[in-house]
Amino acid sequence: MSPTPNPAAAQTFMVFATLRDDTDFAEFAALREDEQKRLEVLRSEGRIGAHYVSPARRATFIEVIATDEKHVAETLATLPFARFFDADVYPTTPPDAAEAAHRARS
């Protein structure tokens, strides 16, 4: 696993992921607590920011802070739910001065 990115060199990516049609919902439910714990670890490491779920659309949105898309994929692969989703990764614009200062403090 890659180390936590340097906040000054990190970029923000928005990941849009949709639940696969062949998802085993019993298995999915059994992993919910593990997923939440892993998200908290990634947040504390500064690798995950916002996380939103749209149950009606079977989708999730995850802000990932990483140096590149390879690092994003490595981060996502550590999530227990990763195997249930098809993900698209979108690089976003560089952080403004306030966001960069916030990351430097984290």
Side-chain angles (χ1 to χ4, degrees), residues 15-30:
V15 177
F16 170 69
T18 54
L19 199 59
R20 292 188 180 123
D21 289 336
D22 64 349
T23 297
D24 176 336
F25 287 100
E27 184 180 5
F28 186 85

Side-chain angles (χ1 to χ4, degrees), residues 4 10 13-14 16-17 22-24 26 37 39 53-54 59 64 89:
T4 302
F13 297 83
M14 184 54 66
F16 170 69
D22 64 349
T23 297
D24 176 336
K37 287 179 184 177
L39 283 168
V53 177
S54 174
V64 179
V89 177

Side-chain angles (χ1 to χ4, degrees), residues 1-2 34-39 41-43 45 47-48 64 71-83:
M1 180 174 1
S2 296
D34 293 339
E35 176 81 359
Q36 292 304 313
K37 287 179 184 177
R38 184 67 190 143
L39 283 168
V41 168
L42 292 170
R43 278 190 195 101
E45 293 174 348
R47 295 170 65 184
I48 294 280
V64 179
H71 189 242
V72 172
E74 290 172 359
T75 297
L76 293 175
T78 70
L79 292 168
F81 282 179
R83 67 176 172 246

